[in-house]
């Protein structure tokens, strides 16, 4: 048993006895092992496998049959199918992300004030965070229905040129809650003195918004931007719920994740794996950008 | 926060009301349209109220989508995932915050790096793994891949590190074991963050789509709530039955949001702003 003095030393991170030190490490391992097992089996192992499977051609049963090296990577990632998926995903992002940022700011600025009943409005604005992408898809399935819908443009979801825009309407609505809560948190973190100082300077509300508020919430907007972009790259549920034929028409709403889903059968595993790695690389680059930009601009607590 | 004159206040209320309509009307219209017999919607128009209400769309969605069973499955899966995510995250967070062990920084980085390996990237091999284990169409298959989370570990570790040093030292002086320190001191003091994480974990698990869609090849008997509604699409059911099903499965989480909005918002905005 360690003495009181040793315990005190431990508290300052100074180690005294080797046995108690290793006993602590064993306890740490015990505490970490559930997470290590799950991450190992369902994050790292599958990642290693999709990278490796991409190097092999499959037979029908999904066995890794023939080593083809990186050629399958260049074939698939440079191929029409993946490029179309990436293009569709980028179109989805182009529609949903700017709209998400703008509407998030609009909702948050409107709801960030002392008014009776403001909590009710805040709850309403937050509500879509409980609505899953799939539920949003089903809701707009009826709203955009050409026979019984509210918006009855017969072609919105049937024309390959506009289908992704139709899908994005549902996505923008579903993102409102998340955009709102994130921007509102940013606004509420602005120190009162800053706003008061600006009021004393006699700046009008518009000028105050652009010269004081917007710069101060820019790190939060950047955070929201990254969240929305990454969500965009992972888009699947809404499209699966809303489009008929799924991913259609003519594959115009097939995102990268949709393509991965379509290539889930054993005989397509090699191709699907390459696409998974492609998705990883894209997400990795976006996240890396987030860190390099965010680290420079945001001061996190220790 | 700002305080405004009466005229300005009226203006803000007007804007807030308009924005609320943007958020709420899609759900209301979908509800009205699900109740309305298609014939009454033929001539278009906005129709704020149904001309005739056919409430049996809900029972049809419930029956044909087997929504009762699907909701039970969803709750079992969601509660299990949430419970285990909290437990594994608390344990890992305690180790990272308060225990000495070699390669701590490396291991922490490896934990956080799993954020770059979302299910969308690993889904194909996880499907193969789960099939090999014979876990397709099973609770294990729906639950086990999600029993640990880097986000939970990160958030709860941050909270643990905020526990005042003096309290820890005092408890150590009294000879508390690590288990006692964790369960009787550190965890109770971190309750707000753990509550916030619990709620976003619940929301995330309940709303999961890609994985149950891919691992449930028998949606009639094994579909979670969203997959059961999806199976109505391929049945094929008419749009008003599908949307009725969607509204039913959205209801439980909406109730949760109203009850625990504060915690959910704190969980969602963790990382967005300091503190």
């Amino acid at each position: 048993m360690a003495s009181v003095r040793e315990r005190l030393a431990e508290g300052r991170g100074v180690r005294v006895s080797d046995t108690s030190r290793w006993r602590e490490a064993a306890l740490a391992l015990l505490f970490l092992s559930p997470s290590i097992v799950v991450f190992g089996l369902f994050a790292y192992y599958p990642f290693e496998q999709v990278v490796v499977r991409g190097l092999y051609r499959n037979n029908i049963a999904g066995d890794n049959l023939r080593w083809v090296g990186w050629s399958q990577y260049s074939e698939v990632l440079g191929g029409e199918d993946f490029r179309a998926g990436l293009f569709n995903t980028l179109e989805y992002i182009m529609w949903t992300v700017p709209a998400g940022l703008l509407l998030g700011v609009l909702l948050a600025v409107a709801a960030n004030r002392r008014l009776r009943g403001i909590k009710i409005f805040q709850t309403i604005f937050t509500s879509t965070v409980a609505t899953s992408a799939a539920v949003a898809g089903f809701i707009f399935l009826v709203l955009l229905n050409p026979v019984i819908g509210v918006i009855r443009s017969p072609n919105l979801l049937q024309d390959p040129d506009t289908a992704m825009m139709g899908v994005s309407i549902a996505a923008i609505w579903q993102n409102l809650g998340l955009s709102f809560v994130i921007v509102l948190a940013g606004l509420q973190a602005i120190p009162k003195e800053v706003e008061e100082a600006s009021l004393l300077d006699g700046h009008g509300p518009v000028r105050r918004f652009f010269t004081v508020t917007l710069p101060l919430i820019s790190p939060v907007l950047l955070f929201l931007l990254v969240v929305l972009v990454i969500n965009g790259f992972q888009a699947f549920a809404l499209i699966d719920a809303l489009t008929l034929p799924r991913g259609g028409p003519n594959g115009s709403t097939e995102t990268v994740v949709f393509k991965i889903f379509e290539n889930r059968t054993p005989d397509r595993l090699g191709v699907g794996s390459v696409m998974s790695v492609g998705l990883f690389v894209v997400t990795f680059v976006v996240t890396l950008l987030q860190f390099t930009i965010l680290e420079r601009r945001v001061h996190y607590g220790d | 926060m700002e305080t405004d004159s009466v005229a300005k206040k009226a203006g803000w209320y007007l804007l807030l009301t308009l924005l609320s309509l943007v958020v709420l009307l899609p759900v209301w219209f979908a509800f009205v349209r699900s109740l309305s017999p298609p014939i009454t919607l033929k001539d278009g128009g906005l129709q704020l109220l149904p001309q005739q209400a056919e409430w049996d769309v809900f029972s049809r969605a419930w029956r044909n989508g087997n929504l009762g069973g699907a909701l039970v499955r969803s709750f079992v899966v969601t509660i299990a995932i949430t419970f285990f995510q909290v437990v594994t995250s608390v344990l890992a967070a305690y180790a990272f915050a308060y225990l000495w062990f070699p390669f701590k920084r490396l291991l922490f980085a490896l934990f956080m790096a799993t954020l770059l390996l979302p299910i969308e990237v690993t889904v194909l091999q996880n499907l193969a793994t789960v099939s090999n284990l014979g876990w397709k169409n099973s609770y294990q298959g729906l639950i086990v891949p999600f029993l640990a989370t880097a986000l939970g570990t990160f958030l709860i570790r941050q909270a643990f590190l905020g526990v005042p040093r003096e309290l820890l030292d005092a408890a150590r002086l009294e000879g508390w074991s690590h288990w006692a320190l964790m369960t009787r001191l550190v965890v109770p003091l971190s309750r707000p963050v753990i509550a916030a994480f619990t709620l976003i974990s619940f929301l995330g698990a309940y709303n999961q789509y890609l994985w149950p869609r891919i691992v449930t090849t028998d949606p009639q008997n094994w579909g979670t709530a969203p997959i059961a509604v999806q199976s109505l699409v391929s049945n094929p059911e008419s749009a008003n039955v599908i949307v009725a099903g969607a509204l039913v499965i959205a209801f439980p989480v909406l109730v949760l949001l109203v009850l625990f909005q504060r915690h959910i918002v704190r969980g969602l905005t963790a990382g967005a702003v300091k503190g």
Side-chain angles (χ1 to χ4, degrees):
Chain A
M1 274 280 110
S3 72
V4 167
R5 192 211 292 256
E6 276 169 343
R7 286 178 189 283
L8 268 179
E10 250 175 51
R12 296 198 197 90
V14 182
R15 300 292 138 191
V16 181
S17 105
D18 259 6
T19 41
S20 81
R21 195 169 117 121
W22 286 105
R23 201 176 297 150
E24 200 172 313
L27 187 67
L29 185 64
L30 188 70
F31 281 7
L32 292 167
S33 53
S35 298
I36 292 174
V37 170
V38 173
F39 288 150
L41 274 177
F42 296 103
Y44 283 105
Y45 168 71
F47 181 59
E48 182 259 340
Q49 281 293 301
V50 291
V51 173
V52 171
R53 275 179 199 273
L55 301 170
Y56 290 87
R57 286 254 193 277
N58 289 122
N59 64 7
I60 291 290
D63 302 316
N64 291 342
L65 203 63
R66 190 160 51 84
W67 164 272
V68 290
W70 296 100
S71 72
Q72 186 162 245
Y73 274 86
S74 50
E75 242 170 68
V76 173
L77 296 181
E80 190 114 350
D81 204 27
F82 182 78
R83 285 218 315 255
L86 200 57
F87 178 82
N88 293 337
T89 310
L90 290 174
E91 191 189 343
Y92 177 93
I93 289 171
M94 290 282 289
W95 285 116
T96 56
V97 174
L101 288 167
L102 273 173
L103 291 169
V105 170
L106 181 62
L107 291 172
V109 167
N112 183 40
R113 58 199 63 252
R114 246 186 274 279
L115 285 176
R116 186 166 302 163
I118 196 70
K119 284 273 182 288
I120 298 168
F121 291 111
Q122 290 180 351
T123 302
I124 291 170
F125 293 174
T126 309
S127 63
T128 73
V129 301
T131 319
S132 66
V135 166
F138 296 130
I139 285 174
F140 279 82
L141 186 69
V142 79
L143 296 182
L144 302 180
N145 186 291
V147 183
I148 64 164
V150 177
I151 301 172
R152 288 187 195 183
S153 157
N155 292 326
L156 187 59
L157 288 174
Q158 299 313 317
D159 181 342
D161 289 334
T162 56
M164 194 55 102
M165 192 174 82
V167 166
S168 301
I169 294 174
I172 289 167
W173 177 79
Q174 198 241 333
N175 282 337
L176 287 177
L178 185 67
S179 305
F180 167 68
V181 296
I182 288 177
V183 181
L184 184 67
L187 289 176
Q188 290 176 342
I190 295 177
K192 274 207 177 47
E193 309 84 69
V194 177
E195 300 242 309
E196 277 158 13
S198 170
L199 270 173
L200 287 178
D201 285 347
H203 291 161
V206 176
R207 168 124 187 243
R208 202 161 73 237
F209 175 76
F210 283 104
T211 58
V212 180
T213 313
L214 207 55
L216 282 172
I217 61 168
S218 64
V220 172
L221 293 182
L222 203 58
F223 175 84
L224 177 61
L225 174 78
V226 174
V227 169
L228 290 176
V229 169
I230 289 180
N231 283 354
F233 276 114
Q234 295 173 349
F236 173 73
L238 200 141
I239 290 153
D240 193 45
L242 182 55
T243 56
L244 206 68
R246 295 182 312 100
N250 286 338
S252 60
T253 54
E254 289 188 359
T255 53
V256 175
V257 176
F258 200 98
K259 302 267 185 202
I260 294 172
F261 178 79
E262 292 293 288
N263 285 298
R264 69 190 179 286
T265 51
D267 56 311
R268 305 282 302 167
L269 261 189
V271 174
S273 295
V274 172
M275 289 181 173
S276 305
V277 177
L279 177 67
F280 165 78
V281 171
V282 172
T283 322
F284 182 76
V285 170
V286 173
T287 313
L288 211 66
L289 280 177
Q290 165 199 13
F291 273 112
T292 50
I293 301 172
L294 275 186
E295 282 301 300
R296 242 187 300 150
R297 307 194 53 173
V298 191
H299 217 73
Y300 284 110
D302 50 76
Chain B
M1 292 279 180
E2 297 169 31
T3 18
D4 299 308
S5 70
V6 177
K8 265 185 169 176
K9 270 186 185 166
W12 284 117
Y13 275 122
L14 186 67
L15 179 66
L16 287 163
T17 308
L18 284 174
L19 292 172
S20 300
L21 290 178
V22 171
V23 176
L24 294 178
L25 276 182
V27 182
W28 179 251
F29 278 137
F31 176 65
V32 168
R33 262 142 226 274
S34 73
L35 287 176
S36 306
I39 190 88
T40 65
L41 297 167
K42 215 177 53 205
D43 41 346
L46 284 180
Q47 304 212 9
L48 282 165
L49 290 168
Q51 291 174 14
Q52 262 174 281
E54 283 188 342
W55 289 95
D56 71 304
V57 281
F58 283 92
S59 53
R60 237 168 86 199
W62 187 269
R63 221 179 24 251
N64 297 354
N66 193 8
L67 290 189
L71 281 169
V72 169
R73 275 189 295 280
S74 263
F75 278 112
V76 171
V77 169
T78 302
I79 290 168
I81 289 178
T82 306
F83 174 78
F84 284 108
Q85 283 195 348
V86 172
V87 171
T88 57
S89 299
V90 163
L91 290 172
Y94 188 87
F96 283 123
Y98 292 123
L99 296 176
W100 175 88
F101 58 96
F103 304 114
K104 189 192 257 191
R105 289 176 69 101
L106 174 69
L107 204 63
F108 188 68
L110 284 173
F111 266 52
M112 292 306 116
T114 62
L115 290 171
L116 292 169
L117 301 172
I119 189 70
E120 286 79 10
V121 169
T122 54
V123 64
L124 293 184
Q125 177 55 40
N126 281 342
L127 177 66
T129 305
V130 163
S131 308
N132 289 340
L133 290 166
W135 285 0
K136 267 172 129 175
N137 302 310
S138 77
Y139 279 118
Q140 305 93 290
L142 288 165
I143 294 168
V144 175
F146 304 99
L147 291 189
T149 136
L151 180 68
T153 306
F154 178 78
L155 292 178
I156 296 172
R157 171 182 164 272
Q158 289 291 97
F160 283 0
L161 289 173
V163 172
R165 187 96 242 183
E166 307 82 61
L167 286 177
L168 285 163
D169 286 343
R172 282 204 187 97
L173 266 174
E174 285 185 26
W176 287 26
S177 66
H178 280 295
W179 184 255
L181 274 176
M182 182 171 74
T183 55
R184 286 164 54 194
L185 183 73
V186 174
V187 167
L189 284 175
S190 310
R191 228 171 358 209
V193 171
I194 296 176
F197 173 68
T198 305
L199 281 153
I200 55 166
S201 164
F202 190 99
L203 270 188
Y206 185 84
N207 287 339
Q208 243 189 33
Y209 190 82
L210 176 64
W211 179 249
R213 176 89 164 85
I214 220 165
V215 87
T216 310
T217 48
D218 174 14
Q220 265 299 311
N221 293 308
W222 280 103
T224 55
I227 307 309
V229 176
Q230 165 63 34
S231 73
L232 288 171
V233 175
S234 36
N235 245 359
E237 277 288 356
S238 50
N240 57 339
V241 177
I242 296 164
V243 80
L247 293 175
V248 168
I249 68 162
F251 190 70
V253 276
L254 274 173
V255 172
L256 205 70
L257 179 78
V258 172
L259 291 179
F260 300 110
Q261 190 190 341
R262 209 164 42 90
H263 296 291
I264 291 173
V265 167
R266 188 166 342 97
L268 290 172
T269 55
V273 283
K274 191 179 156 187

